[in-house]
Amino acid sequence: MKLTEDDSYRTSTQYKHWSFTPAQLASQRRKTNARASARVRANVARQRAERAQLPDNANANASASETDRTGSGVDTGANTPVSADHEVDCLTQDEEMRLVDTFCERALELGKFCKFPTEVTATGIQFLRRFYLFNSPMTYEGQNISRTAMFIANKTEGNHTSVETYAARFPKVTAEQVLAPEYLLVQALRFNFEIRHPFRGLKGGHMELLEMARGHFAPLPADERTSAGVQREMQHLPLKPGGPPTQLAVPALEKRVADAYAFASNVLKTAALLTDAYFLYTPPQIWLSAHLLADEPLTLFYLSAKLPPTHPAHAKTVTTLAACAALLAAHRSFTSDTTSADAKAARNKADAALIKKLRSCRDPDKLDLVKLNQAQKRDAVEGSGALEGGKAKRRKIQREAYEKEADEFWGPELAKNGGRPV
Amino acid sequence: MALPTRRASGAPTKRLAEDGGASPLSRNLHNLSLQPSNATARPPPQTDTSSDICPVCKSSRYLNPNMKFLVNPECYHKMCESCVDRIFSHGPAPCPIAGCKRTLRKARFRKQTFEDLKVEREVDIRKRVAKAMNKCESDFETLKDYNDYLETVESLTWNLILKVDVDDTERRLRLWEDAQKAELHPNATIRRNLDPDPSLPSDTAHVVLKKGATQRKLPINTTTSNNGPNPPAADDKAPDAGFSFAGLKKRIAPEPEKPFDPYGGWSFDPQFYVLQEDYNTPWLAPYKDNPDYLAGGYDITDFYDRALGDAFSGFGVFIEEEVKARKGSAKAKKGTAKAVKAAASNGAVKDVDMDDVF
């Protein structure tokens, strides 16, 4: 019984649960947006109705939540003075996607700022993208979630830091705030922590290309060429697709391979992370497309060494790689050199406007994640807004019953101060 | 005096029981035991005084209540524990009972299990025969073959018990035991045949040595026996196994256990790359022979394998096609959609994710 590389990829959760067609992605995002908008509208309406019922306490409530709010650092839509009949202006699906992209870019900067390894940042960003596929930025605020996603990514990739050390990197952030959305996030990830990145694959391909350039390459059994023949062919590769054949010396060829690697690696660290490439393509396809963007003749030559052009899957592979490369090349990090300063400024302005819009349509129930998290734990804060009163009460009664039962059997808890009179 | 001579018919049976195993007596004893009229006519007396007196030292249980009697399965003569200690402490010695010249060893003395020493002896013989002749019905082709085998075993047993043709039966039984052993442990016999140590007595000589003095006098080549199935002709090819049974299936040795395979027969067979011995890459150079990594058992070839495995795992997977083709996921999607609908119909619109841990 033999297993191939593809079989091993098909066993991964990335393939099983986190691979989509573009249509599926779009429909999922539409669904998420519709559900989140409905929630926001319903919750805001409920909150307004409550406030209307208690006109005297309104101001007190508002000021109380004002102080709460400083923790999360985000303005709430609920407290802005809007007239009751004004419908909340929710984000559209496109706006949501742009927001998520912005969050991801910030997460990338965060990774750079904290000097995390590339894998950690990349995993964190993919966690974020997966999370926002099924949750809306209107429900859960990006800043909190990306902080926690990065923390989980640190643990996933084996780059362990204590939560206190991690939280200390951010101004005015406590460990609790980092941990509050952790379970929520992990649940939304369906406990699938493994992200298959194209980074190591790129290294493997680079290793083989270097061996090819030096004439030590071991061709596949089906390939009749010798390693020297491969080297000769490689030396004659054109620099540009359709260009004239060249005659490169081995050191020059090595430099060409190294340059392509550096370029592709940079694409993988930016554009590949910030697009939907991980959802739509497999890691080998991603790194090969990045390499294709770097040096097309070289990549196609390498591809032909792996999959001869006569192979039925060759054409399909090339098409897939081209599509993936187009996706990567369309990202603004790739085109940033050619965009004008005006366009950049306009984009920044649009982002700012979007964030402002987000503040006016946040789900009031999910503002304070720390409190929500506490409410779900055993030491639930009495009368916390998130948990319905009945549920909290029932839980409290149940817990007391259990405690009483335990006390009857084991005896009551020992005094904390060792029985000394207080 | 407990003389192992033939007694008059009026002699008490208990005395006979005491000398039960002595070879000259066995036939007579058997004859006696086969006479139920005798047994019923003279029931043993209730107070058995003679069995409480040691036939060697004549000390009686009356004087020494802790006295224990022991027997040796060589001749089944009974004697007290202190006699055994006294006579056999310094190694093997002849049986002190007059007329019995068997050499006994202390280690083989034991307490008798049955009051009747004939029974004791028969049980011992049956135990030994059953150990050697341990075929069961499934080992034979037909039930008749099995029954023939059982009959042979039974006549063999009675031969030993009644001391009929003992030498030949013993010889054949021993041959059978050896053949069985050779079949079960083929390696042991091969090893023995490969390097026979001339300094040691050979296996057959050892067997002869173990036999009693009377047996040693007899020639060993007595292959003519009338009872039991006909023994096979001494062939060059097939060694004499003592017995041959019609319809006995040949024993099939169990398959030797294969080495444990943690992958259960699966193997990884890369189709897109051939792993080379070494790759010369500038950024790998510092790790190749750095003792910091090597000391922990790090092997750079593992990285090669992993990097190339990563480079192509999923190379031939076209997500767009395969995701569409997924059958199971369609069902799963339907399931989640239903769940969401149920949650939505519950009243308020619920979040998609499972927010409540309880």
Side-chain angles (χ1 to χ4, degrees):
Chain A
M1 293 179 288
K2 302 274 189 192
L3 280 177
T4 63
E5 298 96 318
D6 291 346
D7 295 329
S8 94
Y9 184 68
R10 287 195 185 99
T11 60
S12 67
T13 50
Q14 184 160 329
Y15 172 78
K16 282 186 199 157
H17 306 309
W18 298 99
S19 292
F20 304 94
T21 63
Q24 279 178 338
L25 266 187
S27 88
Q28 181 55 47
R29 286 193 170 124
R30 198 163 48 241
K31 242 186 264 173
T32 305
N33 177 261
R35 201 168 291 140
S37 307
R39 269 177 69 99
V40 167
R41 291 204 180 99
N43 286 339
V44 168
R46 177 179 51 77
Q47 206 174 40
R48 278 177 190 156
E50 278 171 14
R51 217 182 303 162
Q53 278 181 348
L54 305 162
D56 298 338
N57 296 346
N59 281 332
N61 260 352
S63 61
S65 46
E66 200 86 29
T67 47
D68 280 350
R69 169 153 48 83
T70 47
S72 56
V74 177
D75 203 351
T76 69
N79 291 317
T80 41
V82 262
S83 56
D85 55 339
H86 186 276
E87 190 60 36
V88 188
D89 186 13
C90 288
L91 294 175
T92 64
Q93 188 193 341
D94 284 340
E95 284 169 336
E96 267 188 354
M97 260 197 80
R98 266 167 56 206
L99 262 179
V100 172
D101 285 341
T102 316
F103 294 154
C104 290
E105 271 168 52
R106 289 193 179 172
L108 194 65
E109 280 160 27
L110 172 78
K112 267 184 202 143
F113 171 74
C114 297
K115 296 195 179 66
F116 290 141
T118 323
E119 282 82 10
V120 173
T121 319
T123 304
I125 291 172
Q126 289 313 308
F127 283 168
L128 257 188
R129 292 193 82 83
R130 287 181 181 188
F131 178 80
Y132 280 117
L133 190 55
F134 289 94
N135 293 280
S136 164
M138 291 186 282
T139 323
Y140 296 108
E141 206 269 323
Q143 201 182 1
N144 299 329
I145 297 293
S146 64
R147 253 192 325 242
T148 309
M150 209 56 105
F151 181 62
I152 298 174
N154 265 306
K155 293 197 268 188
T156 309
E157 298 292 336
N159 183 39
H160 297 281
T161 40
S162 74
V163 64
E164 283 80 16
T165 328
Y166 180 79
R169 292 172 196 264
F170 308 100
K172 289 190 217 159
V173 171
T174 60
E176 267 171 11
Q177 277 173 317
V178 173
L179 291 181
E182 191 178 39
Y183 187 67
L184 174 83
L185 184 62
V186 164
Q187 235 180 1
L189 295 175
R190 282 19 171 195
F191 301 95
N192 299 155
F193 291 108
E194 195 204 14
I195 307 255
R196 296 214 173 191
H197 290 296
F199 303 125
R200 202 183 294 109
L202 177 66
K203 282 184 176 165
H206 177 56
M207 279 181 344
E208 283 209 319
L209 277 167
L210 273 184
E211 291 302 305
M212 277 181 176
R214 291 188 185 122
H216 306 311
F217 175 64
L220 290 177
D223 201 344
E224 287 127 19
R225 294 176 296 179
T226 60
S227 53
V230 172
Q231 188 191 21
R232 218 172 308 120
E233 269 184 58
M234 200 171 167
Q235 281 174 325
H236 294 310
L237 282 179
L239 289 177
K240 289 266 179 309
T246 54
Q247 176 65 52
L248 285 179
V250 173
L253 196 55
E254 278 183 29
K255 187 173 180 303
R256 183 179 177 181
V257 171
D259 287 347
Y261 169 74
F263 188 92
S265 167
N266 191 40
V267 172
L268 291 187
K269 283 174 194 166
T270 52
L273 294 175
L274 302 172
T275 56
D276 286 335
Y278 277 61
F279 290 136
L280 301 173
Y281 302 99
T282 61
Q285 288 161 358
I286 296 171
W287 80 256
L288 278 167
S289 331
H291 212 273
L292 196 74
L293 289 175
D295 195 336
E296 194 173 331
L298 194 64
T299 314
L300 290 178
F301 172 74
Y302 180 69
L303 193 67
S304 69
K306 297 297 169 192
L307 210 62
T310 50
H311 196 278
H314 185 269
K316 197 159 67 172
T317 310
V318 172
T319 327
T320 312
L321 291 189
C324 182
L327 175 74
L328 297 182
H331 190 259
R332 59 194 186 197
S333 73
F334 194 82
T335 53
S336 62
D337 297 339
T338 52
T339 45
S340 63
D342 284 352
K344 278 183 190 168
R347 202 177 59 201
N348 287 344
K349 211 174 162 188
D351 283 353
L354 208 55
I355 288 174
K356 204 174 169 193
K357 187 180 175 189
L358 170 67
R359 285 183 187 167
S360 67
C361 60
R362 297 221 36 215
D363 186 344
D365 277 1
K366 304 282 183 186
L367 280 179
D368 198 343
L369 292 175
V370 176
K371 226 178 212 173
L372 273 181
N373 186 40
Q374 271 176 356
Q376 287 190 335
K377 290 191 175 170
R378 285 193 50 167
D379 321 313
V381 184
E382 296 258 345
S384 63
L387 222 52
E388 307 89 84
K391 208 170 196 178
K393 201 175 170 191
R394 199 176 65 234
R395 250 179 233 168
K396 194 176 163 230
I397 289 168
Q398 238 174 17
R399 190 166 63 241
E400 275 169 0
Y402 287 140
E403 272 167 11
K404 203 178 153 203
E405 219 171 83
D407 282 353
E408 274 170 10
F409 188 76
W410 301 106
E413 201 173 347
L414 293 176
K416 285 265 165 60
N417 57 6
R420 272 175 277 117
V422 184
Chain B
M1 285 291 284
L3 288 171
T5 51
R6 185 176 180 157
R7 291 186 180 266
S9 60
T13 45
K14 64 199 185 242
R15 172 65 75 197
L16 292 172
E18 192 181 88
D19 310 328
S23 52
L25 270 179
S26 61
R27 227 155 284 168
N28 305 330
L29 288 174
H30 178 62
N31 289 340
L32 285 174
S33 74
L34 285 182
Q35 288 168 352
S37 55
N38 261 3
T40 45
R42 284 188 302 278
Q46 292 299 310
T47 51
D48 194 358
T49 49
S50 63
S51 72
D52 283 350
I53 298 174
C54 172
V56 181
C57 62
K58 304 292 175 206
S59 61
S60 106
R61 197 195 285 279
Y62 181 75
L63 298 171
N64 181 9
N66 292 330
M67 198 163 73
K68 275 182 204 156
F69 287 99
L70 298 176
V71 292
N72 193 311
E74 194 71 36
C75 63
Y76 293 96
H77 284 134
K78 209 155 109 177
M79 57 192 85
C80 73
E81 207 175 15
S82 62
C83 285
V84 172
D85 277 343
R86 181 166 48 80
I87 300 169
F88 300 100
S89 283
H90 302 293
C95 179
I97 308 285
C100 178
K101 292 193 178 64
R102 289 185 183 254
T103 309
L104 307 181
R105 282 155 212 276
K106 195 187 169 190
R108 298 207 60 196
F109 276 95
R110 57 158 208 240
K111 267 174 87 175
Q112 72 185 77
T113 313
F114 300 99
E115 198 183 348
D116 189 349
L117 280 167
K118 277 185 298 178
V119 175
E120 180 91 19
R121 179 167 168 270
E122 185 176 336
V123 166
D124 283 352
I125 288 172
R126 282 190 180 279
K127 236 188 228 168
R128 186 189 153 207
V129 171
K131 207 175 167 194
M133 309 299 250
N134 54 5
K135 300 289 171 203
C136 53
E137 194 183 335
S138 59
D139 293 332
F140 289 89
E141 302 283 353
T142 59
L143 182 64
K144 187 182 175 299
D145 292 332
Y146 179 55
N147 285 335
D148 288 348
Y149 161 81
L150 287 182
E151 195 185 341
T152 313
V153 172
E154 200 58 23
S155 60
L156 159 85
T157 313
W158 277 108
N159 274 357
L160 289 177
I161 293 169
L162 304 181
K163 310 241 171 189
V164 178
D165 213 359
V166 178
D167 296 334
D168 186 47
T169 316
E170 277 281 344
R171 187 189 63 82
R172 290 170 64 197
L173 192 60
R174 208 158 284 148
L175 279 172
W176 176 256
E177 276 171 355
D178 285 349
Q180 294 298 104
K181 214 183 274 173
E183 203 178 70
L184 274 177
H185 309 287
N187 287 349
T189 36
I190 288 167
R191 224 176 291 133
R192 212 167 46 199
N193 293 343
L194 279 181
D195 48 359
D197 196 345
S199 65
L200 291 171
S202 72
D203 201 47
T204 45
H206 183 62
V207 170
V208 172
L209 277 179
K210 277 206 314 203
K211 286 181 182 172
T214 48
Q215 286 168 317
R216 230 173 277 164
K217 285 171 206 153
L218 287 168
I220 303 208
N221 58 353
T222 50
T223 47
T224 51
S225 99
N226 298 329
N227 47 18
N230 40 345
D235 224 358
D236 283 346
K237 268 185 170 177
D240 187 9
F243 299 90
S244 78
F245 299 106
L248 178 60
K249 286 182 203 160
K250 195 160 166 49
R251 179 177 173 271
I252 301 156
E255 291 261 312
E257 210 167 297
K258 284 181 193 130
F260 175 67
D261 179 15
Y263 299 112
W266 290 92
S267 66
F268 186 67
D269 181 33
Q271 51 175 346
F272 292 120
Y273 64 92
V274 177
L275 197 64
Q276 287 173 233
E277 288 278 303
D278 195 21
Y279 293 88
N280 277 315
T281 313
W283 38 262
L284 272 179
Y287 303 98
K288 271 187 188 169
D289 35 34
N290 187 340
D292 289 359
Y293 299 106
L294 297 178
Y298 181 70
D299 189 0
I300 194 81
T301 51
D302 288 345
F303 175 78
Y304 298 153
D305 201 8
R306 197 169 173 204
L308 286 170
D310 268 16
F312 293 103
S313 68
F315 180 63
V317 176
F318 299 98
I319 287 177
E320 178 134 22
E321 281 176 19
E322 297 199 10
V323 167
K324 271 182 195 160
R326 268 183 214 165
K327 291 273 178 286
S329 75
K331 265 182 206 164
K333 283 265 156 59
K334 209 184 264 174
T336 24
K338 238 181 224 168
V340 166
K341 204 182 266 174
S345 64
N346 228 3
V349 190
K350 285 247 170 92
D351 201 355
V352 201
D353 58 56
M354 312 145 275
D355 217 348
D356 198 335
V357 287
F358 296 102

